[in-house]
């Protein structure tokens, strides 16, 4: 058995198309959590999409964004903020 890798021929028509960005909402009352999350994930691309972050610093701020009709692909939510169950 050979250790050579075989690859299918590439087609010029199979170029990867830029498909936009993922919208991620960080909901946490701790400013440092927002910053470290952005630092850790800033250079990540998933399915050729980069990440655009939005922040809410309370459950009330998050609710306002929802009421405004803002949509997100992913939400990082802290459960314990102003109250023990604010994130629920």
């Amino acid at each position: 058995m050979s250790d050579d890798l075989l690859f299918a021929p590439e087609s010029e028509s199979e170029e990867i198309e830029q498909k936009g960005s993922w919208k991620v909402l960080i909901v946490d009352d701790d400013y440092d959590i927002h910053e470290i999350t952005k630092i850790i994930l800033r250079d990540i691309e998933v399915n050729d999409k980069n990440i655009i972050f939005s922040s809410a610093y309370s459950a009330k701020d998050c609710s306002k964004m929802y009421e405004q009709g803002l949509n997100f692909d992913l939400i990082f939510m802290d459960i314990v903020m102003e109250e023990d169950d604010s994130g629920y």
Side-chain angles (χ1 to χ4, degrees):
M1 178 173 266
S2 173
D3 289 336
D4 294 336
L5 297 175
L6 299 175
F7 296 94
E10 292 184 27
S11 168
E12 290 180 29
S13 64
E14 294 179 358
E15 293 181 24
I16 297 173
E17 182 180 321
Q18 181 67 19
K19 299 176 183 171
S21 300
W22 299 107
K23 294 180 273 183
V24 174
L25 176 62
I26 304 167
V27 184
D28 199 302
D29 57 344
D30 186 342
Y31 177 81
D32 292 334
I33 296 298
H34 292 256
E35 292 305 304
I36 195 68
T37 303
K38 292 174 188 177
I39 288 169
I40 291 170
L41 298 176
R42 70 177 165 214
D43 295 326
I44 300 292
E45 285 189 5
V46 178
N47 293 336
D48 299 315
K49 294 182 181 183
N50 63 335
I51 300 173
I52 296 177
F53 294 99
S54 295
S55 292
Y57 294 93
S58 68
K60 187 176 180 178
D61 289 344
C62 182
S63 293
K64 286 180 185 176
M65 294 173 122
Y66 177 76
E67 290 168 5
Q68 293 171 356
L70 299 176
N71 293 312
F72 297 95
D73 299 302
L74 178 67
I75 298 175
F76 291 119
M77 174 84 66
D78 181 17
I79 301 302
V80 179
M81 289 184 284
E82 304 91 349
E83 306 281 328
D84 286 344
D85 60 354
S86 296
Y88 287 117

